[in-house]
Amino acid sequence: MTAGKNDKQVSHQFVLNDSLHQLFDSVDAISVQGYDEQRKVIYWNKGSERLYGYSQEEAMGEKLEALIIPDEFCESVINAHRAWIDSGFEIPASELTLRHKAGHDVFVFSSHVMFVNQYGTRQMYCIDIDLKDLRHAQAQVSFKEHMLESVFDAIPDLFFLVKSNGTVIDYYSSQEGHLSSKSSDLIGKNITTLYTKAEAKDFQHQMVGALSQKSHSRFEYEYHLSGGSKFFEARVRYIEKYDQVMVIMRDISEQHQSAELIRHQAYYDSLTSLPNRFLALDRLSQSLVESERNKEKTAVLFLDLDDFKKINDSLGHEVGDKLLIQSANRLNQAVRIGDTVGRLGGDEFIVLIKGINGQQVVLKTIESLLQAFRSPFNLDGRELILTASIGVAVYPEDGKTASDLLRNADTAMYRAKDRGRNTHSFFTKEMNVIMQRRLELEAQMHGALERQEFEVYYQPQIEVKSGSVIGAEALLRWHNETLGSINPDEFIPVAEQTGMIVPIGEFVIDQALRFLNKWQKKQKQKYNIAVNLSPRQFRDEGLFSFIRDKLVAMEVMPCQLELEITEGILLGGQGYIQKALNKIKQIGIRLAMDDFGTGYSSLGYLRQFDFDVLKIDRSFIQGITTNQADYDLVKATIAMSRSLDLSVVAEGVETLAQLQMLDELGCDVAQGFYFGKPISGKDLMDFGVKDFFLQSHRSFQKDE
Ligand code: C2E
Ligand code: MG
Ligand code: MG
């Protein structure tokens, strides 16, 4: 304490020796106060100024209770001080909450000593250590503890603090389910006691792996409980400083389940539960790798249900679905364990036979697959017979990759269908040539309309009795720069399969009606025009309005347009075809059945669909003069058409003798090379078919 100038300071000069004061004066981190018997301040160091806010000047001479004692403790402080002076009861050192000049609390650890000075008076010295930082730190710690507790409570995870050898130091779990009965007292035990021997080994192995990374890592493991397995994720964090490990375990059974579900949906067909296309092809790729390594073969069977579409359309999708499920089950039972049956989509299945050395196993499997379909299916009390066609491609000879093998098996399957269904066919290189050609056609057909590669030709139709041209059939021609001229018998099926027949078909209708308009104007005469329609075109909703609008635009009466369809269209019995045909008939367009005699030749269809024209296929006309059966059929057909009030057209008339015979049998119209091959519209307009025909007819009459 430095020498002061006022009285208060003077009095303190008497109380304690200066060297001690010098010591207190020099430490401002500790507050030292001195009080006389009346508790008036006789000493107040810098530390006190800092801690309590009163300057030395302000404090000197003031009473203890007036400065730093909160009101509520004043009395007890006065009493305690008095008791010490009077009876020698020391005031013990303790933590106290005192008061700052500004009114706020001051936390201190306060120690007290009582001196008797040279004058025999007592002086109490208080040494106060500021506890503010300590209190603050304590509050922080307790807050953190609370927070941690609430976090532990809120999170369903299990927390373990273990030594690096696995001994549990501490653990926390808000839900005890996972720990089961073993959880009662884990501290001091090894964490692996939670698990069965095998699980423990696995867990330990994972832990060691995780710890070797020395930071954090995670792993998943399965935990077996009486009610079934649970899945856990363990996150491990190595705390190097203490050589301890924090293990946090989370029950991820639910995520596991939904991940499993998603995985299942991604790899399995939802209807039949068979591996889907993706998984089946993945397995195929894997087995190709194995086959390569083991110098073995793998067979890919492409299986398609025969006429499934028909069943689906006529009996409904529900029945169709049931049939697919039952088929899948039968297929699964027909193959060896380890072979894969997958669903590619629709009614197409794939069977993989791996690890084979010859055809024997393949043939046996095919037989049992086809056998699986021999007994009828029972669907809601209804018995149904269903067959399948199978195409086979074998690795490595028929393809090296999964997609090549699948494509080739598919090609072979089409061959099996061609061979009458309910059978199998092995892929051959020749099929590949056909397939290659098909793919080329498909590629070239793209943009062929835009490149104006299509042209409509016309073949005249002649009324047999009068010998006059009454119309023509529109026949499409395709000339492609790369492929040359392609036959419609070849490109029409491709156009149908790709759906390109829809725009191409519209092109034919447009061209044919446009031509008819010009032709009629030039010849000043009415003609009919026949246009072929493919089944696929009926699926196009816009077909009817397209035709109707074109008729109006080209000023053609509906009855002058004849639409030729084959029986195949009607086989499926699809509702949309019936609807489209009804609309077509309603506005007066004529309907012709093409290629009669080649298909089912069902009279039922003739009546059901209200045909106007029946075209006898040229294969019968060709034999009419040489083959009794053909003659009989043509004769019967013409007679029947009469009774049904149908007009009969003979296709493919090539000779005079054929024409003669058709005339005798009462055939109405003839068409064929004898009168003229299909020619361009321009040629037909200039060609003067009528003259050409009359000439021939004249000579025909002369011959008689
Ligand atoms: P189709 O409708 O039965 O047409 C008759 C086919 O017989 C035509 O073949 C025609 O050239 C041929 N032909 C006509 N007279 C004779 C003959 O005296 N002898 C012989 N040997 N053949 C004769 P083309 O033009 O090759 O057409 C084949 C098939 O392609 C057509 O058979 C038809 O089904 C289809 N087609 C042609 N154009 C179209 C079209 O625009 N749309 C659709 N959907 N199909 C078409
Ligand atoms: Mg035709
Ligand atoms: Mg025909």
Side-chain angles (χ1 to χ4, degrees):
M1 172 91 201
T2 50
K5 288 171 192 131
N6 59 27
D7 295 347
K8 290 175 190 170
Q9 280 171 318
V10 174
S11 71
H12 124 259
Q13 298 285 345
F14 298 98
V15 291
L16 214 67
N17 67 56
D18 264 350
S19 58
L20 209 54
H21 281 165
Q22 270 164 21
L23 172 72
F24 293 156
D25 285 344
S26 65
V27 285
D28 67 351
I30 295 174
S31 154
V32 182
Q33 314 119 45
Y35 300 96
D36 65 11
E37 288 184 6
Q38 281 73 46
R39 297 177 308 283
K40 282 187 184 156
V41 176
I42 54 168
Y43 178 74
W44 195 260
N45 76 343
K46 274 265 182 302
S48 303
E49 287 189 344
R50 267 179 52 156
L51 188 60
Y52 295 110
Y54 296 101
S55 67
Q56 187 191 55
E57 264 184 5
E58 288 171 314
M60 292 299 275
E62 294 299 328
K63 282 202 164 194
L64 162 66
E65 61 269 25
L67 288 174
I68 58 173
I69 306 298
D71 295 344
E72 60 269 36
F73 301 128
C74 283
E75 205 180 321
S76 57
V77 167
I78 293 167
N79 290 339
H81 183 256
R82 185 108 315 274
W84 197 350
I85 289 181
D86 292 349
S87 320
F89 293 125
E90 269 184 43
I91 299 176
S94 65
E95 281 186 21
L96 296 174
T97 304
L98 300 181
R99 196 178 57 196
H100 190 270
K101 182 184 172 189
H104 60 253
D105 290 345
V106 179
F107 304 107
V108 292
F109 185 81
S110 191
S111 310
H112 322 94
V113 281
M114 193 70 91
F115 292 107
V116 183
N117 67 4
Q118 60 263 51
Y119 308 105
T121 48
R122 287 160 214 267
Q123 299 167 342
M124 180 177 73
Y125 274 80
C126 301
I127 302 152
D128 294 349
I129 300 168
D130 188 1
L131 292 184
K132 190 176 78 197
D133 291 344
L134 189 68
R135 279 283 169 89
H136 183 72
Q138 279 172 340
Q140 282 289 94
V141 168
S142 115
F143 171 74
K144 283 204 170 142
E145 265 173 14
H146 267 93
M147 199 172 74
L148 212 55
E149 292 237 328
S150 353
V151 168
F152 283 157
D153 272 340
I155 296 179
D157 294 8
L158 299 142
F159 298 83
F160 288 89
L161 188 64
V162 299
K163 291 187 187 160
S164 51
N165 67 2
T167 308
V168 177
I169 302 166
D170 202 359
Y171 77 96
Y172 196 92
S173 139
S174 63
Q175 290 164 5
E176 304 248 307
H178 158 237
L179 298 171
S180 62
S181 56
K182 296 174 201 159
S183 66
S184 47
D185 192 11
L186 278 165
I187 295 173
K189 291 184 184 161
N190 199 287
I191 191 165
T192 51
T193 51
L194 281 169
Y195 308 103
T196 63
K197 237 183 172 168
E199 285 169 351
K201 213 171 149 194
D202 182 42
F203 185 86
Q204 223 160 7
H205 177 74
Q206 298 267 28
M207 275 278 280
V208 169
L211 286 178
S212 68
Q213 297 176 18
K214 287 277 179 193
S215 58
H216 29 223
S217 58
R218 58 174 292 282
F219 60 89
E220 286 180 17
Y221 65 96
E222 199 173 345
Y223 186 72
H224 297 281
L225 288 170
S226 51
S229 279
K230 282 201 161 209
F231 291 88
F232 281 85
E233 176 197 62
R235 273 165 294 150
V236 180
R237 191 184 177 119
Y238 181 60
I239 310 164
E240 200 166 7
K241 192 169 166 190
Y242 304 107
D243 191 30
Q244 289 177 349
V245 186
M246 183 77 171
V247 184
I248 303 166
M249 296 180 191
R250 176 173 293 183
D251 184 345
I252 51 161
S253 306
E254 256 176 50
Q255 286 110 291
H256 218 270
Q257 239 173 17
S258 46
E260 194 53 31
L261 191 74
I262 289 168
R263 208 182 72 84
H264 199 272
Q265 281 168 347
Y267 293 119
Y268 291 86
D269 171 49
S270 58
L271 181 69
T272 61
S273 294
L274 290 180
N276 63 14
R277 183 186 200 93
F278 183 79
L279 180 59
L281 292 186
D282 188 56
R283 286 197 188 162
L284 174 56
S285 299
Q286 280 172 26
S287 88
L288 295 186
V289 175
E290 275 171 45
S291 295
E292 154 101 83
R293 199 175 37 228
N294 304 336
K295 299 275 167 286
E296 286 169 340
K297 292 169 187 283
T298 291
V300 180
L301 275 56
F302 195 113
L303 189 143
D304 188 286
L305 304 180
D306 299 327
D307 287 328
F308 178 77
K309 245 187 189 55
K310 224 160 83 182
I311 294 170
N312 213 25
D313 287 340
S314 54
L315 299 180
H317 288 259
E318 227 170 279
V319 173
D321 283 354
K322 283 183 187 164
L323 203 53
L324 285 172
I325 294 168
Q326 288 192 21
S327 302
N329 291 340
R330 288 191 185 190
L331 292 176
N332 243 341
Q333 279 161 17
V335 299
R336 303 177 310 176
I337 294 168
D339 291 340
T340 296
V341 177
R343 184 175 175 213
L344 295 171
D347 60 345
E348 293 173 349
F349 297 88
I350 185 173
V351 179
L352 308 179
I353 313 171
K354 57 179 186 177
I356 49 175
N357 292 310
Q359 271 199 352
Q360 215 42 42
V361 178
V362 182
L363 288 171
K364 249 176 106 173
T365 308
I366 290 170
E367 180 46 35
S368 66
L369 287 169
L370 293 176
Q371 180 70 37
F373 284 88
R374 298 254 153 83
S375 53
F377 286 82
N378 194 319
L379 293 163
D380 309 326
R382 186 203 301 256
E383 292 222 320
L384 261 168
I385 297 281
L386 188 66
T387 58
S389 298
I390 302 173
V392 190
V394 180
Y395 171 88
E397 50 263 44
D398 299 334
K400 295 268 192 286
T401 66
S403 61
D404 281 355
L405 286 163
L406 185 71
R407 199 191 52 236
N408 291 344
D410 187 15
T411 305
M413 188 278 294
Y414 272 104
R415 177 77 193 106
K417 292 254 183 211
D418 287 345
R419 285 176 46 200
R421 298 152 185 241
N422 190 21
T423 185
H424 73 275
S425 184
F426 277 87
F427 176 76
T428 63
K429 292 276 180 293
E430 295 74 61
M431 287 180 198
N432 216 356
V433 173
I434 295 168
M435 205 61 199
Q436 219 51 46
R437 167 85 177 164
R438 215 201 96 105
L439 291 176
E440 218 167 333
L441 286 177
E442 227 182 279
Q444 289 297 330
M445 205 177 281
H446 270 291
L449 262 180
E450 292 75 10
R451 293 192 300 269
Q452 304 188 327
E453 293 177 1
F454 290 109
E455 189 182 354
V456 179
Y457 270 40
Y458 302 91
Q459 185 175 37
Q461 294 185 327
I462 282 87
E463 189 181 57
V464 176
K465 273 281 154 292
S466 66
S468 44
V469 175
I470 55 156
E473 176 176 2
L475 292 161
L476 189 57
R477 296 292 175 259
W478 180 24
H479 187 88
N480 175 268
E481 195 137 293
T482 316
L483 301 169
S485 289
I486 308 113
N487 212 321
D489 283 328
E490 196 183 1
F491 74 76
I492 293 285
V494 177
E496 281 179 2
Q497 274 156 27
T498 57
M500 272 183 266
I501 192 69
V502 172
I504 293 173
E506 286 182 351
F507 167 81
V508 176
I509 292 164
D510 175 73
Q511 292 291 301
L513 295 180
R514 207 175 282 275
F515 166 74
L516 181 61
N517 178 297
K518 276 200 230 160
W519 193 23
Q520 292 188 140
K521 276 185 182 148
K522 179 157 187 208
Q523 302 292 340
K524 299 193 175 52
Q525 188 187 333
K526 290 262 176 254
Y527 293 111
N528 293 337
I529 199 91
V531 175
N532 295 282
L533 281 191
S534 289
R536 177 66 180 75
Q537 290 177 265
F538 286 94
R539 290 228 308 268
D540 170 31
E541 304 236 320
L543 174 74
F544 173 72
S545 51
F546 180 85
I547 296 176
R548 193 190 48 199
D549 294 350
K550 285 288 165 194
L551 285 172
V552 174
M554 302 300 159
E555 298 163 352
V556 173
M557 288 192 302
C559 66
Q560 291 175 271
L561 176 63
E562 214 169 272
L563 296 178
E564 298 190 5
I565 61 171
T566 57
E567 260 178 315
I569 295 186
L570 311 170
L571 267 184
Q574 285 96 336
Y576 63 87
I577 289 188
Q578 171 96 53
K579 264 190 220 145
L581 288 179
N582 285 346
K583 274 197 206 163
I584 283 167
K585 286 285 323 182
Q586 255 166 27
I587 64 165
I589 294 171
R590 282 150 63 86
L591 207 57
M593 181 177 281
D594 205 354
D595 302 344
F596 188 78
T598 56
Y600 294 74
S601 305
S602 159
L603 298 180
Y605 290 139
L606 285 177
R607 257 194 244 109
Q608 189 184 342
F609 290 99
D610 195 12
F611 280 91
D612 303 281
V613 181
L614 195 148
K615 297 188 77 174
I616 303 175
D617 191 71
R618 68 166 184 269
S619 56
F620 301 101
I621 305 301
Q622 245 143 44
I624 193 173
T625 52
T626 51
N627 183 321
Q628 186 63 36
D630 286 348
Y631 173 83
D632 289 345
L633 187 127
V634 173
K635 187 177 171 182
T637 303
I638 293 172
M640 176 193 73
S641 302
R642 277 266 147 70
S643 67
L644 288 173
D645 204 17
L646 292 170
S647 158
V648 181
V649 179
E651 291 188 293
V653 178
E654 292 182 355
T655 65
L656 186 59
Q658 289 165 354
L659 177 62
Q660 198 173 11
M661 201 145 276
L662 288 164
D663 191 22
E664 266 173 33
L665 293 175
C667 178
D668 304 296
V669 179
Q671 177 185 344
F673 292 174
Y674 179 69
F675 308 103
K677 288 194 171 176
I679 46 175
S680 72
K682 187 174 163 293
D683 287 346
L684 180 58
M685 249 187 285
D686 301 340
F687 194 60
V689 182
K690 201 170 175 183
D691 288 344
F692 166 77
F693 170 69
L694 284 178
Q695 237 175 29
S696 320
H697 201 250
R698 263 199 299 279
S699 61
F700 152 60
Q701 280 171 334
K702 248 187 259 155
D703 286 349
E704 273 185 325

